[in-house]
């Protein structure tokens, strides 16, 4: 000890010895109830209030419920006895085993690999009725109870945990709690209204009353306010309400990490190859059905129907119709007119030879050609001419007809009739023209040959353009002009894009082929009205494209790589990997888990199946996972429910206090605050000795219940100016070490 230290120490001794001042007694720290009456505490809630631990309600858990711990502490400020509906069960009832045996609460045991895992005790104990005085109960915590259950008459008939101590067959939970006549109550309801949806992997409805559903906000609000009003119906009673912790902060969702799939290099390589092969095959199969087959059929329809149809129509409009109309004009108008003039002139010359004057001859000739005899002669001459119009004897006639046909007047008349016909070909007035055009199109070898020649020339040019990747600009070949080709190309494009009939044909053929292909991909059997040869041609094209299309393979590769980027096609590595999960929204039906997604604790009971699922190309089923979207829905519902709870407390602030257990659990889980309790480590896990949660990952153990009881005491003290002593959390039991 140095000199200065000795001097200070000496002075302290002198001061201590010399001072005899008497301090007044400090009464501020003595227990007192403040403005509340704790003579009878009533607690109402679910499994958290009941003392449910390690997956069951049994003696140790019930004894260490936060409600019981609170009840014992309130005795220090005038509280009375706190009676619970004793479970009288050493091991509790977890569930019924596969052979009907009763399994008890969970305990930690080492598995074959030396890993400690929660496993049920055998045998468990059946649930039995409470044998004590039900009128003297203080704790109305019922495992499984939701808010709306609490106001439900006869709830004990569907939930044996309430039925075992309900006051009557038709009693409601909140009714029994209110009738207990507590001077002070603690109500902690609402957890199960969202928890059971979350622990089921969000497979239930987001609004419903089923076991795996979430309660709707409207139903929750109505039921919660009704329950609180019932508790406040006891004259002069006061109390506390506790909100809902975010269920995703509890070990049930945080114990198993998202990346808990260990793989060696050989297994990772094998799985990667297998999954990629399956996914690639799936993408290829989709491409065949949705890309290749429709494209091939579309191209086939284009080449075999649309192009010939367009060319046929072009020839019909540009050649056959004008030819028919022109020929009609020549036969029915010009030829008779020319022969009329010839016969009239012949008649006039005869009359002149017989001594008639010019005027008399003209009049007589005109009269003759208009007479029945003259008309008959004209018709006869026209008929003879038409039957042998190339006869040299008719050269003059032909010259005269040609001259007439070439005149502007006649050409204008012909064009007008062509235009009128094309504008309305179905007009009965054009029936003869229509029949003549159809006959020409069907029977005229020259027309047929022209269609075939132009079709062949266009398709040849089209195929060459396709090979040069310029399919929309085929180059004209002799004897056709580029303008003709461009018109045909435009007409074909219009038909392919806008023709309802063409689209329906393509769709029908595609559906028929895909249906046949799905039944027998290697050799689809044709279905009417399509021939087997057509089917075989399409199949040959499909196989050819699969083997030779660089573009198709590039598209498939791009899709595969994109799926790898999103995790929808797993890429496993040697070491620790994210778990592979089923996802109906994924293109592959599965994907790798994301870091912020959660695995449910119950997954540990089926984790041995993971290698089998991987071998089968499957992911972990949805009921064991909470995805990003599902977490967001759950957290929002917790927020909505907590807003209702805080609003209800604020509306009755003269009598009701509020415990924000949500913020407390958040600090514990996310910020590790507190990290110790009275000098002993603490955390939001199930791991002994410091974990504050029991082995089911949802409910606190004894030490965790003491932690909660102290937080409730802090809130009561603050709200009602009380001084209720807190407990030492370390005096209460945590989780046992594994056996």
């Amino acid at each position: 000890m140095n000199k200065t230290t000795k001097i200070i120490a000496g002075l302290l001794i002198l001061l201590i010895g010399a001072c005899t001042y008497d301090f007044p007694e400090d009464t501020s720290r003595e227990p007192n109830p403040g403005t509340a009456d704790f003579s009878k505490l009533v607690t109402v809630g679910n499994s958290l209030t009941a003392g449910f631990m390690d997956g069951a309600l049994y003696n140790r858990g019930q004894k260490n419920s936060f409600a019981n711990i609170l009840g014992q502490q309130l005795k220090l400020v005038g509280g009375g006895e706190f009676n619970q509906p004793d479970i009288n069960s050493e091991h509790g009832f977890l569930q019924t085993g596969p052979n009907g045996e009763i399994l008890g609460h969970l305990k930690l045991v080492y598995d074959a690999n030396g890993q400690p895992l929660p496993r049920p005790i055998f045998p468990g104990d059946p649930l039995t009725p409470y044998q004590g005085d039900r009128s003297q109960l203080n704790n109305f915590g019922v495992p499984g109870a939701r808010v709306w259950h609490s106001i439900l008459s006869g709830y004990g008939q569907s939930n044996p945990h309430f039925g075992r101590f309900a006051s009557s067959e038709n009693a409601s939970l909140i009714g029994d709690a209110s009738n207990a006549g507590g001077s002070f109550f603690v109500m902690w309801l609402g957890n199960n209204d969202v928890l059971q949806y979350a622990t089921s992997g969000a497979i239930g409805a987001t609004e419903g009353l089923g076991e795996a559903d979430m309660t709707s906000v409207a139903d929750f609000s109505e039921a919660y306010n009704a329950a609180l009003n019932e508790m406040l119906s006891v004259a002069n009673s006061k109390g506390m309400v506790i909100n809902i912790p975010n269920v995703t902060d509890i070990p049930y969702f945080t114990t198993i990490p998202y990346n808990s799939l260990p793989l060696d290099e050989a297994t990772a390589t094998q799985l990667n190859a297998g999954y990629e092969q399956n996914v690639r095959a799936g993408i290829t199969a989709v491409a065949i059905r949705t890309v290749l087959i429709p494209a091939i059929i579309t191209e086939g329809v284009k080449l075999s129907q649309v192009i010939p149809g367009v060319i046929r129509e072009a020839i019909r409009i540009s050649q056959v119709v004008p030819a028919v109309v022109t020929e009609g004009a020549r036969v029915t108008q010009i030829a008779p007119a020319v022969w009329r003039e010839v016969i009239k002139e012949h008649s006039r010359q005869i009359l002149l030879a017989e001594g008639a004057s010019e005027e008399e001859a003209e009049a007589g000739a005109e009269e003759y050609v208009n007479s029945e005899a003259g008309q008959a002669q004209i018709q006869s001459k026209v008929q003879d001419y038409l039957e042998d119009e190339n006869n040299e004897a008719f050269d003059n006639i032909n010259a005269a007809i040609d001259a007439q046909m070439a005149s502007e007047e006649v050409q204008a008349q012909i064009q007008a009739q062509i235009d009128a016909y094309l504008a309305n070909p179905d007009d009965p007035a054009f029936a003869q023209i229509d029949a003549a055009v159809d006959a020409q199109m069907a029977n005229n070898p020259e027309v047929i040959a022209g269609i075939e020649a132009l079709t062949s020339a266009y398709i040849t040019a089209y195929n060459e353009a396709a090979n040069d990747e310029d399919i929309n600009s085929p180059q004209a070949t002799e004897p056709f002009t580029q303008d003709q080709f461009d018109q045909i190309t435009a007409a074909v494009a219009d038909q392919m894009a806008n023709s309802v009939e063409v689209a329906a044909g393509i769709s029908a053929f595609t559906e028929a082929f895909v249906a046949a292909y799905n039944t027998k991909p290697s050799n689809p059997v044709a279905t009417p009205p399509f021939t087997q040869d057509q089917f075989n041609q399409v199949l040959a094209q499909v196989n050819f494209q699969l083997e030779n299309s660089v573009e198709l393979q590039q598209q498939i590769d791009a899709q595969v790589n994109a799926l790898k980027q999103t995790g929808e096609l797993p890429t496993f590595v040697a070491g620790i990997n994210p778990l592979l999960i089923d996802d109906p929204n994924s293109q592959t039906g599965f994907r790798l888990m994301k870091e912020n997604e959660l695995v449910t604790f119950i997954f540990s009971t089926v984790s041995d199946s993971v290698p089998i699922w991987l071998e089968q190309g499957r992911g972990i089923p949805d009921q064991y996972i909470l995805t990003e979207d599902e977490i967001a829905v759950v957290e929002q519902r917790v927020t909505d429910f907590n807003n209702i709870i805080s609003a209800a407390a604020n509306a009755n602030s003269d009598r009701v206090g509020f415990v924000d257990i949500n913020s407390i659990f958040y600090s514990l889980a996310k910020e590790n605050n507190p990290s110790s309790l009275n000098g002993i480590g603490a955390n939001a896990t199930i791991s002994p000795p410091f974990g504050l949660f029991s082995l089911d990952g949802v409910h606190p153990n004894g030490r965790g219940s003491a932690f909660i009881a102290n937080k409730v005491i802090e809130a009561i003290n603050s709200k009602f100016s009380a001084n209720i002593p807190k407990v030492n959390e370390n005096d209460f039991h945590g989780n046992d070490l594994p056996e």
Side-chain angles (χ1 to χ4, degrees):
M1 183 181 294
N2 62 35
K3 186 176 181 180
T4 303
T5 305
K6 289 180 180 179
I7 292 172
I8 294 173
L11 288 171
L12 287 172
I13 292 171
L14 288 172
L15 287 170
I16 293 169
C19 293
T20 58
Y21 182 79
D22 292 330
F23 289 93
E25 184 178 355
D26 182 9
T27 60
S28 64
R29 304 307 302 164
E30 291 182 357
N32 72 82
T35 60
D37 175 8
F38 299 114
S39 57
K40 184 170 186 179
L41 170 67
V42 170
T43 59
V44 60
N46 48 50
S47 51
L48 293 166
T49 301
F52 200 89
M53 293 181 191
D54 304 319
L57 186 62
Y58 65 109
N59 292 341
R60 191 170 86 177
Q62 189 177 53
K63 177 183 177 182
N64 289 298
S65 69
F66 94 88
N68 192 43
I69 295 171
L70 177 63
Q72 303 314 311
Q73 290 303 105
L74 291 186
K75 290 180 181 179
L76 300 175
V77 289
E81 290 299 318
F82 189 79
N83 298 313
Q84 302 195 97
D86 297 331
I87 193 69
N88 292 323
S89 171
E90 189 65 25
H91 299 308
F93 177 85
L94 174 70
Q95 63 187 43
T96 302
N99 298 314
E101 70 276 22
I102 295 176
L103 303 178
H105 70 79
L106 299 169
K107 67 175 182 176
L108 282 177
V109 297
Y110 288 110
D111 67 4
N113 298 317
Q115 298 296 319
L117 293 174
R119 292 292 182 261
I121 283 180
F122 177 77
D125 304 317
L127 199 62
T128 58
Y130 173 57
Q131 298 299 323
D133 186 350
R134 301 186 182 191
S135 66
Q136 297 302 309
L137 288 173
N138 298 77
N139 189 351
F140 293 86
V142 175
R146 299 190 183 195
V147 169
W148 64 273
H149 287 151
S150 72
I151 62 174
L152 184 66
S153 297
Y155 177 52
Q157 298 177 47
S158 59
N159 186 340
H161 278 291
F162 179 47
R164 62 179 294 273
F165 69 85
S167 62
S168 69
E169 191 175 81
N170 294 319
S172 71
L173 172 58
I174 205 70
D176 276 5
S178 174
N179 291 335
S183 62
F184 195 87
F185 65 86
V186 175
M187 188 172 90
W188 193 3
L189 284 166
N191 301 67
N192 289 330
D193 293 80
V194 65
L195 176 69
Q196 289 167 326
Y197 172 83
T199 55
S200 299
I203 61 174
T206 56
E207 293 189 353
L209 301 178
E211 186 174 347
D213 299 340
M214 277 197 296
T215 305
S216 72
V217 174
D219 287 344
F220 186 93
S221 179
E222 181 180 356
Y224 193 90
N225 283 288
L228 181 57
N229 289 337
E230 182 69 21
M231 294 306 297
L232 289 171
S233 67
V234 179
N236 301 317
S237 65
K238 296 181 179 180
M240 303 294 292
V241 294
I242 306 176
N243 69 357
I244 304 169
N246 193 332
V247 297
T248 58
D249 290 340
I250 61 178
Y252 191 90
F253 296 104
T254 60
T255 299
I256 302 174
Y258 83 101
N259 57 342
S260 54
L261 179 62
L263 296 172
D264 57 41
E265 186 171 354
T267 303
T269 301
Q270 181 182 2
L271 287 174
N272 287 338
Y275 274 97
E276 180 164 342
Q277 180 180 2
N278 290 341
V279 169
R280 188 175 289 275
I283 292 173
T284 301
V286 171
I288 289 173
R289 291 163 173 80
T290 63
V291 179
L292 275 185
I293 291 175
I296 289 168
I297 288 174
T298 299
E299 190 68 5
V301 169
K302 186 176 184 179
L303 292 172
S304 65
Q305 297 180 30
V306 176
I307 290 175
V310 166
I311 291 173
R312 177 183 173 85
E313 185 63 11
I315 289 178
R316 178 177 178 275
I317 292 172
S318 65
Q319 297 179 30
V320 176
V321 169
V324 167
V325 173
T326 300
E327 182 65 10
R330 189 176 76 86
V331 169
T332 62
Q333 298 175 38
I334 306 303
V338 167
W339 277 106
R340 183 180 188 280
E341 289 302 313
V342 170
I343 292 171
K344 179 181 177 182
E345 180 60 24
H346 182 70
S347 176
R348 192 175 74 82
Q349 290 299 326
I350 292 173
L351 290 172
L352 286 172
E354 291 177 350
S357 66
E358 286 290 339
E359 289 184 1
E360 291 174 337
E362 179 65 28
E366 181 66 27
E367 183 180 356
Y368 174 73
V369 294
N370 289 329
S371 68
E372 187 175 338
Q375 288 295 309
Q377 185 180 8
I378 292 170
Q379 186 61 40
S380 175
K381 290 295 184 180
V382 170
Q383 188 66 36
D384 291 342
Y385 164 75
L386 292 177
E387 290 176 356
D388 192 16
E389 58 186 275
N390 293 322
N391 191 318
E392 292 180 359
F394 296 132
D395 285 349
N396 291 335
I397 297 297
N398 281 328
I401 289 174
D402 290 343
Q404 287 286 311
M405 292 295 293
S407 70
E408 290 184 6
E409 183 181 358
V410 171
Q411 287 300 309
Q413 292 174 354
I414 290 172
Q415 189 59 53
Q417 192 165 28
I418 290 171
D419 292 342
Y421 168 74
L422 293 177
N424 191 13
D426 296 327
D427 190 328
F430 299 130
Q432 289 184 344
I433 294 177
D434 211 35
V437 169
D438 290 344
Q440 287 288 306
M441 295 295 293
N443 304 312
N444 189 322
E446 190 175 335
V447 171
I448 294 170
I451 292 172
E452 291 177 351
L454 187 55
T455 301
S456 177
Y458 182 87
I459 289 177
T460 299
Y462 176 88
N463 288 335
E464 289 176 357
N467 293 334
D468 295 335
E469 298 184 353
D470 193 17
I471 198 169
N472 294 319
S473 301
Q475 298 302 303
T477 56
E478 294 289 343
F480 309 106
T481 67
Q482 186 62 47
D483 182 61
Q484 288 176 313
F485 266 57
D486 291 344
Q487 289 180 20
I488 291 171
T489 300
V492 169
D494 180 70
Q495 285 284 301
M496 296 300 294
N498 301 310
S499 171
V500 175
E501 188 176 347
V502 169
I506 291 172
S507 178
F509 195 86
T510 300
E511 289 179 8
F513 188 90
V514 169
Y517 184 87
N518 287 339
T519 303
K520 193 175 182 183
S522 61
N523 187 22
V525 178
T527 55
F530 310 107
T531 67
Q532 187 64 49
D533 182 61
Q534 287 174 313
F535 268 56
N536 292 343
Q537 288 178 23
V538 174
L539 182 62
Q541 281 293 315
V542 168
N543 293 332
F544 178 83
Q545 290 287 321
L546 285 174
E547 294 175 7
N548 299 288
S549 174
V550 175
E551 182 180 358
L552 176 64
Q553 291 306 317
Q554 289 174 340
Q555 291 174 355
I556 292 173
D557 289 342
Q559 290 186 58
V560 168
N561 291 331
L563 292 173
K564 287 180 179 179
Q565 292 297 318
T566 61
E568 292 171 276
L569 173 57
T571 302
F572 296 111
V573 298
I576 301 299
N577 293 267
L579 293 167
L580 187 72
I581 62 172
D582 284 344
D583 185 347
N585 297 318
S586 165
Q587 294 183 57
T588 58
F590 47 75
R591 62 172 173 83
L592 293 172
M593 277 195 74
K594 300 175 184 177
E595 185 174 359
N596 56 343
E597 295 180 322
L598 302 173
V599 185
T600 63
F601 195 56
I602 195 68
F603 170 69
S604 63
T605 64
V606 296
S607 58
D608 290 345
S609 299
V610 170
I612 299 172
W613 292 335
L614 290 173
E615 196 173 297
Q616 295 173 342
R618 298 170 52 198
I620 297 169
D622 183 49
Q623 65 260 38
Y624 301 112
I625 304 297
L626 278 185
T627 65
E628 285 179 317
D629 292 342
E630 292 166 348
I631 292 170
V633 170
V634 167
E635 291 180 344
Q636 183 58 53
R637 192 60 55 88
V638 170
T639 298
D640 293 338
F641 288 172
N642 282 342
N643 287 340
I644 292 168
I645 294 171
S646 62
N650 290 335
N652 298 278
S653 59
D654 57 328
R655 298 172 64 186
V656 178
F658 175 70
V659 183
D660 187 7
I661 203 72
N662 184 35
S663 296
I664 294 167
F665 271 38
Y666 178 88
S667 295
L668 179 66
K670 294 293 197 301
E671 300 169 355
N672 197 24
N673 179 29
S675 59
S676 65
L677 299 173
N678 292 307
I680 304 297
N683 55 54
T685 72
I686 65 170
S687 301
F690 303 135
L692 298 182
F693 282 84
S694 72
L695 298 181
D696 58 33
V698 173
H699 303 89
N701 55 28
R703 193 163 173 250
S705 292
F707 170 73
I708 293 172
N710 279 344
K711 293 301 180 183
V712 175
I713 288 171
E714 288 177 7
I716 293 174
N717 286 342
S718 175
K719 174 66 179 178
F720 297 104
S721 302
N723 186 25
I724 306 165
K726 295 193 290 186
V727 298
N728 183 344
E729 298 94 341
N730 300 324
D731 291 340
F732 294 84
H733 211 290
N735 293 335
D736 295 328
L737 295 172
E739 297 179 1

